Amino acid sequence: MEGPYRAGDALPPLEIPVTRTLIVAGAIASRDYQDVHHDAELAREKGSPDIFMNILTTNGLVGRYITDHFGPAAVLRKVAIRLGVPNYPGGLLRLTGRITTVDGGNRTYIDSENRIPIEGENHTLIEVAVAGDNCMGRHVTGKVTVTLPHDSCRPHQPHRSHDARPL
């Protein structure tokens, strides 16, 4: 494969402050109106010390982590995550990743068995193992599959910084 991506490469970490606003906004944006994601008193009545982040918000943050690293040409093809400990307000979520697979061939496959070709050609398929930790332990683990046009995989292609993400 041409380009800077190799199996085993680590992505730079992304640290995200877990605020009450992030938790509530993520739940509302994903139409998850379960009270444990926005009402601290009801969350406590149900045995939780506070509101906590829903899986859809975590899924979105994992997707953001990958696309911020690989840039605007990156297309998420599959995001498979599993939650661990909850994310409560006041914590810090630290996402890390490691490239596990790089397929730079002109064929790129994408389904649960990686057998159906993606439309078009000249794409590079990259799989990244992702983990996210907070002060209580492992919040999320998973694998993300992303495709990039070969033009995006050439050396010296600048990557978007996590700090340069538009609002």
Side-chain angles (χ1 to χ4, degrees):
M1 179 194 129
E2 295 178 7
Y5 302 116
R6 304 227 187 288
D9 288 351
L11 278 62
L14 172 62
E15 293 186 345
I16 301 169
V18 179
T19 65
R20 191 167 300 279
T21 301
L22 174 63
I23 292 170
V24 173
I28 291 170
S30 61
R31 297 182 179 184
D32 183 347
Y33 303 115
Q34 294 292 316
D35 51 21
V36 294
H37 303 307
H38 65 85
D39 188 319
E41 185 176 323
L42 289 174
R44 280 190 287 279
E45 286 177 15
K46 293 183 176 182
S48 178
D50 205 338
I51 63 172
F52 55 90
M53 185 176 287
N54 72 354
I55 191 170
L56 296 172
T57 302
T58 299
N59 195 67
L61 293 173
V62 167
R64 169 194 164 190
Y65 175 56
I66 297 299
T67 58
D68 278 3
H69 177 75
F70 289 105
V75 176
L76 295 176
R77 296 297 180 166
K78 182 177 180 181
V79 179
I81 62 171
R82 174 177 235 142
L83 291 183
V85 300
N87 258 336
Y88 293 115
L92 184 73
L93 174 62
R94 185 173 194 269
L95 294 169
T96 57
R98 184 167 301 280
I99 296 173
T100 58
T101 304
V102 177
D103 181 356
N106 285 338
R107 75 218 178 285
T108 303
Y109 302 103
I110 192 67
D111 69 349
S112 61
E113 300 298 322
N114 288 332
R115 299 284 185 256
I116 299 173
I118 294 174
E119 293 180 23
E121 55 184 48
N122 296 319
H123 284 80
T124 297
L125 176 117
I126 299 172
E127 289 182 344
V128 181
V130 177
D133 297 305
N134 62 31
C135 66
M136 295 174 26
R138 179 79 19 112
H139 170 67
V140 64
T141 56
K143 185 175 274 193
V144 179
T145 304
V146 62
T147 56
L148 297 170
H150 281 311
D151 289 345
S152 297
C153 294
R154 296 197 193 289
H156 305 99
Q157 175 75 17
H159 300 288
R160 283 178 28 194
S161 162
H162 293 298
D163 297 328
R165 183 172 179 264
L167 296 177

